[in-house]
Each structure stands twice: as C-alpha cells, then as structure tokens.
Amino acid sequence: MITLTIYPESFGEPSASPFCTKALCMLKATGLAFQIDESPDPRKAPKQKLPMIEHDGHIIPDSEQIREHIEAAADHDFNASLSDEQRGIADAVTRMLEEHFYFAVVADRWANDANWEHVKKAFFSDIHALLRPIITRSIRKQALGQLNGQGIGRHSEAERFGRASRDVLSVKSVLGDKPFLFGDAPTAADYTAVPMLRASIATPVPTMLSDFIRSEDKIMSYLERGKEALYP
Ligand SMILES: N[C@@H](CCC(=O)N[C@@H](CS)C(=O)NCC(=O)O)C(=O)O
C-alpha cells in the first residue's frame, strides 16, 4: 500500500499545492492502491516539501520522483504515446510551469496582501489563535525570502504578469485545438499543467494573472476538461 502525504484541499482544489494535486491525480491514473494522509506541515518530509509517498518502507519526495516511482511500480508510462520530440517539449513545458510559473502563483498568494489574508485563514486556521499571528508572520517572511532568492519576488506584479502570461500563451500554443497537450488523451505534462494553471485562478482575490487566464477561453475549457479527466 502507498501512503501519499499532501496538504489539505483548499480554494476548491484537492490540495493547496498543485504538486500534491499532480501526485494525487497521477497515482489515481496508475490504478495503484493508495491512501491519503493530509498534513499541513512539511517539516518531517525529506526535503521539507510536499508531496511525498511512503511505499513498502521507502519514502519518496518530489512529484517528479513520485512519478518515476509509480510509473515503474505500475508499469505505466504516462508518455507512452509521445515521440521523442514531444517528450522533449513535454519536459520543457513541465519545467517552465513547475520552476517558473509556480513562483508567480506563490507570489500572487503570499506577497499580495489581499490574497494573503485568505491564505492565512485557509492554511493556518488550525494554529492556536494566540500563536497564529507570530507563526504566520514568520512563515510568510520565509516564503517571501524564498521568492526573493528564486528571483521572481524582485519583480513588480506587472513584471511578473508579463513573464507568467507568456508561459500561459506557450501552453496555449502547444495545446492548439487538441483536447490535451499532446492529443486526445492526457499525458504527463497535463498532470502538471492542469493543477498548476487551476491553482493560479483559485486565488480568492483576482490578480492580473488570474484575470488573464479567465479571459482565455481555450485555456479555461482545457482546465474544465482536465479537472473532469484527471481529478478524483
Ligand atoms: N519539486 C517539488 C516541489 C514541491 C513544493 O514546492 N511544495 C511546496 C508546496 S506547493 C512546499 O511543500 N513548500 C513548503 C516550503 O517550501 O516550506 C515537487 O515537484 O514536488
């Protein structure tokens, strides 16, 4: 049995984290038996990040490593139908969304004062009321420090939007008129793209990025279709 540890659902998504939603949807697609352990606290995870899985005594962190592990365990290749060229594009799209676009979403949630009020309530309401202000201030400071270190935190919202909206347009170009990124059926990159783009419009207070995505009909229908096909 596999145990998948993820952050609890929030803002209408199965998990607060698009990486956790990705791992959850991939596990479901392989047909492997698994149970979910919801945790708000990543500190016990090997990389202090979620998701992670525990399988027969082995702990595997990181959604990409989880993907490799479950593909081997279930003898299931998410990209079986893809050519080498498509696999290259799929990996590039995945990296763009997970290592660049994701940080724009985090900034919209954690650096935007109006959204931060909702994030605080959604993620940290279990913390005792007396300690909550001190703990949430420190967690926010740490998150903003990470954004600054990564680099995206040094941009204004408009500059961030310029970069992140181009990522969305790249996804739209790869999608074209197909139901999923590489054809009629979802492949690995869809398991990143759908939760990641959905996370960016799930922020309760609209941002330049969420308004832009909501105005893109092709992307919005892709996200509806993706939710239907991939989500539990
Ligand atoms: N590369 C990792 C990224 C996972 C990740 O960034 N998780 C975030 C939530 S979206 C996290 O747990 N952050 C906790 C922290 O940075 O303290 C993956 O693919 O799983």
Side-chain angles (χ1 to χ4, degrees):
M1 174 67 99
I2 294 176
T3 301
L4 167 69
T5 306
I6 56 175
Y7 295 105
E9 67 86 28
S10 80
F11 304 140
E13 289 292 289
S15 170
S17 155
F19 296 101
C20 292
T21 302
K22 165 188 167 186
L24 170 64
C25 294
M26 283 189 146
L27 260 170
K28 174 185 157 259
T30 60
L32 292 168
F34 70 101
Q35 61 188 13
I36 295 173
D37 176 21
E38 284 192 348
S39 166
D41 186 355
R43 280 174 300 180
K44 291 205 183 97
K47 295 181 195 284
Q48 284 83 53
K49 284 180 188 277
L50 295 178
M52 68 170 189
I53 60 171
E54 193 266 317
H55 190 194
D56 294 339
H58 297 285
I59 293 189
I60 297 116
D62 193 283
S63 65
E64 278 298 90
Q65 286 170 229
I66 292 171
R67 171 190 158 196
E68 276 170 41
H69 180 85
I70 63 178
E71 281 188 316
D75 194 17
H76 179 98
D77 178 357
F78 282 97
N79 285 342
S81 60
L82 302 194
S83 66
D84 284 349
E85 184 183 356
Q86 286 174 318
R87 282 171 190 259
I89 297 169
D91 281 348
V93 167
T94 301
R95 228 56 82 218
M96 174 183 75
L97 292 174
E98 295 189 354
E99 309 294 345
H100 177 257
F101 181 83
Y102 164 70
F103 291 99
V105 178
V106 175
D108 273 358
R109 286 184 176 185
W110 292 69
N112 175 308
D113 289 337
N115 265 320
W116 165 243
E117 288 306 316
H118 292 273
V119 167
K120 212 166 31 177
K121 265 193 215 109
F123 296 1
F124 306 115
S125 51
D126 283 354
I127 300 174
H128 191 286
L130 278 178
L131 296 175
R132 205 178 303 142
I134 304 167
I135 295 181
T136 52
R137 216 174 296 135
S138 143
I139 296 176
R140 188 186 195 197
K141 195 171 165 202
Q142 199 183 319
L144 298 184
Q146 284 175 1
L147 291 175
N148 207 38
Q150 189 272 345
I152 209 147
R154 298 167 197 233
H155 296 307
S156 66
E157 187 188 350
E159 288 168 335
R160 263 193 339 255
F161 170 69
R163 302 166 69 104
S165 58
R166 285 200 295 281
D167 295 351
V168 177
L169 292 175
S170 300
V171 172
K172 188 176 154 190
S173 302
V174 174
L175 184 63
D177 292 319
K178 304 183 291 303
F180 292 98
L181 289 173
F182 295 99
D184 289 337
T187 55
D190 294 293
Y191 287 82
T192 286
V194 172
M196 198 59 82
L197 293 170
R198 290 188 67 87
S200 68
I201 54 170
T203 43
V205 178
T207 62
M208 292 172 83
L209 184 57
S210 66
D211 282 345
F212 172 70
I213 294 178
R214 286 189 187 282
S215 74
E216 285 288 336
D217 293 345
K218 224 176 228 185
I219 292 286
M220 289 305 286
S221 1
Y222 168 60
L223 297 185
E224 266 312 300
R225 207 159 40 246
K227 183 181 177 185
E228 276 298 303
L230 311 183
Y231 280 30

